[in-house]
């Protein structure tokens, strides 16, 4: 079963996804994390997408659809019963239509589509203060979730960085991209399947309770 975590930049998709992985055994597939790994490893794909990602625009549908097809096929072959969370995909209607086809080919159901709803003001506060571990990717926030030692990851001791696309002007571009290209995807799911829209401006723990309820509700027919 595949569930979707959707929301504007900084809505908390990664945070909620990691909590579901750690506490409930879900498998998370984050397209942003996969793309950032390409950049860190300086692969051909990484070199091609680096400036697009830094600007906050979207990488091409073709590349993303191929990437998600490969990852889902691998996961399905390795652990067909796993509950998979897609974080950051689909982000365009074209990707949503392609996902339907991928799931059909894998004979895999679409579970809950969760939309985490936050204000632009919260997004800017969250992303301006976010810090990410260069090595293991763990997320922090200078105010809401500080590392024990300033600038150093609690888990692996590596340096924390501020993402290139987390500068205020780029955040505004990402919010614009979300409105024009990803909002229509929400309309697509409102009309199809188990779609749950929830306020996500409370604490991570409060949001997590809502996410668990949404996943539970979708088990009933
Ligand atoms: P991606 O990495 O997916 O970025 P995004 O969608 O912009 O989302 P973020 O990762 O910034 O935010 P999040 O919702 O995960 O929030 P988080 O939990 O970290 O994509 C990056 C780029 O890759 C795109 O711009 C595009 O170029 C490309 N890309 C990716 N997928 C693509 C696709 N399908 N098609 C085309 N291009 C694609 O939280 C943020 C901060 O807030 C953290 O510091 C956290 O600690 C804090 N926080 C979280 N929850 C709370 C809370 N409840 N209260 C207080 N603070 C909180
Ligand atoms: Mg994220």
């Amino acid at each position: 079963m595949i569930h979707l975590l959707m929301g504007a930049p900084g809505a908390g998709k990664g945070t909620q996804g990691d909590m579901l992985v750690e506490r409930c055994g879900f498998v998370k597939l984050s397209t942003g994390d996969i793309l950032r790994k390409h950049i860190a490893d300086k692969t051909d794909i990484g070199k091609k997408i680096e400036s697009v990602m830094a600007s906050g625009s979207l990488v091409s549908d073709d590349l993303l659809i191929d990437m998600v097809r490969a990852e889902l096929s691998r996961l399905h072959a390795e652990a067909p019963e796993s509950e998979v969370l897609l974080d950051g995909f689909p982000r365009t209607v074209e990707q949503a239509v392609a996902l339907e086809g991928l799931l059909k080919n894998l004979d895999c159901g679409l579970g809950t589509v969760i939309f985490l709803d936050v204000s632009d003001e919260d997004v800017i506060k969250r992303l301006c203060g976010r810090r990410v571990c260069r090595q293991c990717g763990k997320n922090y926030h200078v105010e809401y979730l500080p590392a024990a030692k300033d600038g150093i990851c609690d888990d692996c001791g590596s340096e924390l960085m501020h993402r290139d696309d987390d500068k205020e002007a780029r955040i505004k571009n990402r919010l614009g991209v979300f409105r024009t290209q990803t909002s229509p995807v929400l309309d697509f799911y409102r009309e199809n399947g188990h779609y749950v829209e929830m306020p996500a401006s409370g604490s991570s723990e409060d949001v997590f309770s809502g996410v668990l309820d949404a996943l539970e509700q979708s088990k009933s027919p």
Side-chain angles (χ1 to χ4, degrees):
M1 182 80 81
I2 311 272
H3 308 278
L4 309 183
L5 278 173
M6 303 198 58
K13 305 180 292 295
T15 302
Q16 296 301 319
D18 289 342
M19 290 166 89
L20 286 166
V21 170
E22 281 159 25
R23 301 184 192 182
C24 310
F26 281 76
V27 176
K28 187 181 83 162
L29 193 61
S30 157
T31 47
D33 288 349
I34 297 172
L35 295 170
R36 277 185 289 279
K37 175 131 185 19
H38 274 287
I39 294 173
D41 293 347
K42 300 191 187 329
T43 65
D44 289 344
I45 290 179
K47 288 177 197 157
K48 222 187 282 176
I49 62 172
E50 191 165 8
S51 60
V52 178
M53 272 188 75
S55 73
S57 299
L58 294 185
V59 175
S60 78
D61 283 336
D62 288 351
L63 193 144
L64 263 295
I65 291 166
D66 285 349
M67 203 172 85
V68 169
R69 180 186 296 112
E71 289 293 327
L72 285 183
S73 305
R74 179 184 60 76
L75 277 175
H76 194 66
E78 283 171 7
E81 299 306 321
S82 49
E83 299 273 329
V84 177
L85 297 166
L86 270 181
D87 161 4
F89 186 94
R91 266 174 142 103
T92 63
V93 171
E94 189 169 346
Q95 292 179 15
V97 171
L99 181 63
E100 299 236 300
L102 297 182
L103 295 182
K104 210 167 170 190
N105 288 342
L106 293 170
D107 197 19
C108 187
L110 179 65
T112 314
V113 178
I114 299 175
F115 171 52
L116 302 172
D117 192 13
V118 283
S119 67
D120 288 5
E121 205 188 342
D122 278 342
V123 164
I124 290 171
K125 269 195 228 148
R126 287 183 186 184
L127 296 185
C128 287
R130 172 168 56 186
R131 298 294 179 270
V132 185
C133 175
R134 258 183 214 291
Q135 189 60 34
C136 70
K138 186 170 171 161
N139 260 329
Y140 295 86
H141 189 282
V142 289
E143 189 182 333
Y144 309 134
L145 190 62
K149 196 169 166 204
D150 197 26
I152 302 293
C153 179
D154 295 349
D155 284 2
C156 72
S158 301
E159 187 194 6
L160 304 184
M161 59 159 191
H162 194 199
R163 264 169 52 176
D164 276 350
D165 57 350
D166 279 350
K167 311 282 153 45
E168 195 164 339
R170 292 171 184 187
I171 297 170
K172 288 187 174 150
N173 182 33
R174 288 160 70 197
L175 284 168
V177 168
F178 176 76
R179 268 188 203 104
T180 51
Q181 293 182 260
T182 308
S183 289
V185 182
L186 303 177
D187 296 332
F188 178 90
Y189 287 118
R190 271 187 192 106
E191 292 153 22
N192 299 279
H194 292 283
Y195 175 84
V196 180
E197 194 163 309
M198 66 175 67
S201 49
S203 72
S204 300
E205 291 296 337
D206 286 347
V207 178
F208 187 62
S209 303
V211 168
L212 287 182
D213 284 349
L215 290 167
E216 200 52 45
Q217 273 169 31
S218 72
K219 285 185 187 158
S220 44

